[in-house]
Amino acid sequence: MSELEQDKYRPSLDIIIAIKENFNSHIEWLIFGDTPISKNAIFNLAIEAQELELISLFREFTKEDRDEIIDFIKLKIVRY
């Protein structure tokens, strides 16, 4: 799993399908990193442009950097 997270290993199609079935994941997310939006999906939460930028930038970090950023955010939330 760590090799997958570090982009050192690319799973076969059989593995992707097994992950999809066992964890009820979207194949698009497993392959491209994006979750498809259903035509029937209704969102009660509007995402602001700044939040979209944050998500876009966050996706460019390594897993270790993402974990560090999340820990920092949690520290900031506790302070307020």
Side-chain angles (χ1 to χ4, degrees):
M1 288 303 286
S2 67
E3 288 183 355
L4 278 172
E5 292 172 344
Q6 296 174 16
D7 288 332
K8 293 181 180 177
Y9 169 75
R10 299 288 180 187
S12 68
L13 183 57
D14 291 336
I15 297 294
I16 291 173
I17 291 170
I19 292 170
K20 181 232 181 287
E21 291 174 354
N22 286 304
F23 296 102
N24 196 24
S25 301
H26 292 280
I27 289 213
E28 292 86 353
W29 179 79
L30 291 168
I31 297 172
F32 303 112
D34 295 324
T35 303
I37 298 174
S38 167
K39 291 180 182 178
N40 298 325
I42 299 173
F43 296 97
N44 295 325
L45 177 64
I47 297 177
E48 297 178 12
Q50 190 177 32
E51 292 169 314
L52 289 173
E53 180 182 15
L54 180 62
I55 292 168
S56 177
L57 293 170
F58 185 79
R59 288 180 174 175
E60 294 181 26
F61 287 105
T62 64
K63 180 181 179 339
E64 291 80 16
D65 288 340
R66 288 179 184 185
D67 291 342
E68 185 177 339
I69 291 167
I70 288 171
D71 288 342
F72 175 76
I73 291 170
K74 287 177 181 177
L75 284 173
K76 292 294 282 186
I77 291 172
V78 171
R79 292 176 57 196
Y80 292 104

